Structures are given as structure tokens and as C-alpha cells.
Amino acid sequence: MTGITVRVPAKLNLQLAVGPPRADGYHDLVTVFHAVSLFDQVTVEEAARDRVTVTGEGADRVPADHDNLALRAVAALRAAVPDTRSGPANVHVTIAKRIPVAAGLAGGSADAAAALVACNELWAAGLSPQRLGAIAATVGSDVAFALLGGTAVGRGRGEQLTPALAAATQYHWVLAFADGQLSTPAVYATLDRLRGVPGDGQPSREGGPREAALDTALMAALRSGDAARVGQRLSNDLQPAAVSLFPALRKTLTAGLEFGALGALVAGSGPTCVFLAANAERALKLAVSLSGAGVCRSVARVSGPVPGAAVISAR
Ligand code: C5P
């Protein structure tokens, strides 16, 4: 086989509860991941040396060297594959982006997950989903979920996953893309500052933020499959921090609710805004209204849940 193409979804966080900072600089969190139908495509082919080419949405803002998360994933997988005489081949990774960069939708993590699935196939490495998941977790907090897809609860840094019990409902979402980006570490640091956590990188002391907890009402709403109930329970602890760094988001969120969204929140660390609609028709109306109101750069309609990274062509 010479070329493998994998399709991989963006993620939303239906809940993102952030606990106090840990000694390693990360935050313990409890999140409800939800994969949606906005996909990047990642192709790997044998090559003389590992390299990456990025095309599409925001391609010029993706590092094309070894800082690229997909190339880091390739290196992590290679290290885990048993040594053969020649070793796993070098690869050229081509990323066709539709998931906007640094938008809170885990596009970089998605590409890393896709690279893992593609190389596992190209090298006929035969690693189990569990092994791939463990390698994914070393590459980034959201990479393991991009392998899994669906709707799942994430704990730890977000890498410890349990599929959520949910009704077989497809939810209709409208994404409002912002004219700008937010850096994930900056948003977490701003949250700590807003919470009055000492900025010494030390785990929080007495009186700091509480441990993150799963929203049982959201989980019940997902089991019922009632979009209106789900819409009422959407929550994101990072939202105040994202809005303080990007104040225009407040207007976007308000506009979406005024146009009839069942719920609204900032996606992950932002700046994309996410709206839940009652059905496909309402989603279309909402998307048209949001574009007309001039409160975002562009909009997309997506649905979820969708499966995680999967091979779509092998030649
Ligand atoms: O794991 P990942 O590289 O996606 O995380 C990016 C940054 O986001 C981390 O360096 C950290 O600043 C922040 N982060 C965090 N707690 C998490 C996940 C990410 O503080 N659970």
C-alpha cells in the first residue's frame, strides 16, 4: 500500500468543567466531548523523510515542521511499533483542513489522531484501538477523543475517556467562526487569573477552585435525547476567560440566543461560538440570521455525534 487517507471530525465540549491547576501545568477537567460533522482529511504516503503539507482553511497558520502535531503523532507511533529490519517507512503527511485552526474545535488534535490511524494502516502495525489511544494521550489532551468520536466523558487532562450513554439523537449545531484565534494556554491562564489562583504555577491552595464535576443533568438530557434539555445544560468554564480575551464573542452568543438557539456556548478554549438548534430547518435559519447580523466571520451547520478517525481510502 502506498497511500492511506483518513477522515477525522472536529469536537465540541458540551460540558467543560475545569478544576484547579496541577503541578504539571495542566488542569484536571471533566468534559463531555461530542464529535461533529466538520472533517479534516489526512493522507500519509511513503517518502524519503517525514514531512507535512497543509492545505485548506487556515493552512498558513499550521506549523509545517516537527512542531506539527500530526508529525509528533507519527514519531510517537513509530517509537511504539516493534523494530523490523527496515523500521516503519518515513511518511509525507498531507492535511486537507476544513476545521479552522486555533478555534477551540481541536483541529490539530484531530489531525494527530488521523495520522496515527493512517500510519497504523500504512505500516500494517496492527496496534489495537487501546494502544493507539494510549499513544494519542501522550501527543495531546484531545487526541484520544478524535480517535473515539461519538459522545464521551473525558477526565484527567481530557484523555481518560468513557463513551456516554446517550439516546440515538442527531443534534443540529451552528458554528460561528470568529475573525481571530485564541491560544489554549492563554485561555487557561486567564481562567486561573479570573479565579484568583496564584500565578506561581503551584497547585492551588485552600479556597481555590473546586474539583471539576460531571453535570448529571446534562447526562440525563443526553440519555433522553431531548435537544431543548441538552441546550439548557451546555456549559464551559473556559467561556468567561475566552470572552474576556475576545469581548466580541459576547455579542455573537447573545445574537444566536435571540435568533432562537436552544443553547449557546464558546467551543473549548474558543473563539468559535456554538449554537444548538431544534432541527435542521431551524439550524439553517439560525445560520442565515447569524451571517446576516455580521457577528462572526462565517458560519457552518454540522450535526453530531459522528464517529472518530476512520480510513476512507487505501491505494
Ligand atoms: O494537551 P494540549 O497540548 O492540547 O494542551 C494545550 C495547553 O492547554 C496546555 O499546555 C495547557 O496550558 C492547557 N491545558 C490545561 N489543562 C488541560 C488541557 C490543556 O491547562 N486539561
Side-chain angles (χ1 to χ4, degrees), residues 25-29 69 72 109 139-142 156-158 184-185 188:
Y26 283 89
H27 295 71
D28 268 322
L29 50 84
L69 223 49
R72 300 223 308 253
S109 300
V139 179
S141 307
D142 296 334
R157 288 185 293 125
T184 302
Y188 275 98

Side-chain angles (χ1 to χ4, degrees), residues 114-138:
L116 288 178
V117 171
C119 287
N120 192 37
E121 195 77 15
L122 185 78
W123 296 337
L127 264 59
S128 66
Q130 288 72 20
R131 288 283 311 278
L132 284 184
I135 296 165
T138 68

Side-chain angles (χ1 to χ4, degrees), residues 27 29 42 47 57 64 83 112 117 132 155 159 170 175 191 230 239 242 254 262 278 298:
H27 295 71
L29 50 84
V42 175
E57 171 84 36
D83 249 353
V117 171
L132 284 184
R155 296 177 190 276
E159 84 289 7
Q170 276 288 306
L175 308 181
L191 175 68
V230 171
Q239 186 160 312
T254 307
L262 299 175
S298 63

Side-chain angles (χ1 to χ4, degrees), residues 7 20 29 33 39 75 93 96 98 100 116 118 124 130 152 161 172 191 194 207 229-230 246 254 257 299:
R7 189 177 85 151
L29 50 84
F33 286 117
F39 300 100
V93 181
R98 286 189 53 224
L116 288 178
Q130 288 72 20
L161 297 170
H172 298 272
L191 175 68
L194 292 176
R229 280 178 66 189
V230 171
F246 205 131
T254 307
L257 289 169
V299 297

Side-chain angles (χ1 to χ4, degrees), residues 19-315:
R22 315 191 306 200
D24 65 2
Y26 283 89
H27 295 71
D28 268 322
L29 50 84
V30 175
T31 187
V32 179
F33 286 117
H34 181 75
V36 292
S37 61
L38 176 66
F39 300 100
D40 279 358
Q41 279 193 18
V42 175
T43 300
V44 298
E45 297 156 296
E46 286 193 18
R49 62 181 174 86
D50 283 348
R51 65 192 178 94
V52 64
T53 306
V54 188
T55 65
E57 171 84 36
D60 52 332
R61 279 168 279 141
V62 180
D65 54 18
H66 282 81
D67 279 345
N68 184 286
L69 223 49
L71 281 190
R72 300 223 308 253
V74 170
L77 182 63
R78 182 177 285 122
V81 169
D83 249 353
T84 54
R85 201 153 50 87
S86 54
N90 288 331
V91 290
H92 178 201
V93 181
T94 307
I95 303 174
K97 289 213 69 68
R98 286 189 53 224
I99 308 172
V101 177
L105 300 167
S109 300
D111 301 339
L116 288 178
V117 171
C119 287
N120 192 37
E121 195 77 15
L122 185 78
W123 296 337
L127 264 59
S128 66
Q130 288 72 20
R131 288 283 311 278
L132 284 184
I135 296 165
T138 68
V139 179
S141 307
D142 296 334
V143 182
F145 175 70
L147 292 175
L148 186 66
T151 305
V153 176
R155 296 177 190 276
R157 288 185 293 125
E159 84 289 7
Q160 298 161 19
L161 297 170
T162 320
L165 267 183
T169 307
Q170 276 288 306
Y171 296 95
H172 298 272
W173 305 96
V174 176
L175 308 181
F177 302 127
D179 218 347
Q181 302 177 308
L182 281 174
S183 131
T184 302
V187 174
Y188 275 98
T190 302
L191 175 68
D192 288 341
R193 191 173 49 70
L194 292 176
R195 285 174 163 180
V197 172
D200 55 7
Q202 293 306 303
S204 86
R205 295 184 268 274
E206 221 40 33
R210 280 181 293 141
E211 293 304 318
L214 186 63
D215 178 1
T216 53
L218 171 65
M219 299 313 283
L222 287 168
R223 284 195 300 277
S224 78
D226 180 340
R229 280 178 66 189
V230 171
Q232 280 168 8
R233 298 306 307 184
L234 300 173
S235 69
N236 180 359
D237 283 358
L238 291 178
Q239 186 160 312
V243 170
S244 88
L245 290 169
F246 205 131
L249 299 184
R250 193 170 290 122
K251 212 169 158 189
T252 314
L253 292 166
T254 307
L257 289 169
E258 280 170 7
F259 293 138
L262 299 175
L265 84 175
V266 168
S269 55
T272 304
C273 292
V274 180
F275 304 95
L276 180 57
N279 53 43
E281 194 189 333
R282 295 281 179 86
L284 177 59
K285 284 194 177 137
L286 179 58
V288 170
S289 303
L290 281 168
S291 344
V295 290
C296 54
R297 173 172 61 81
S298 63
V299 297
R301 281 177 299 133
V302 298
S303 62
V306 298
V311 174
I312 55 166
S313 99
R315 57 184 163 72

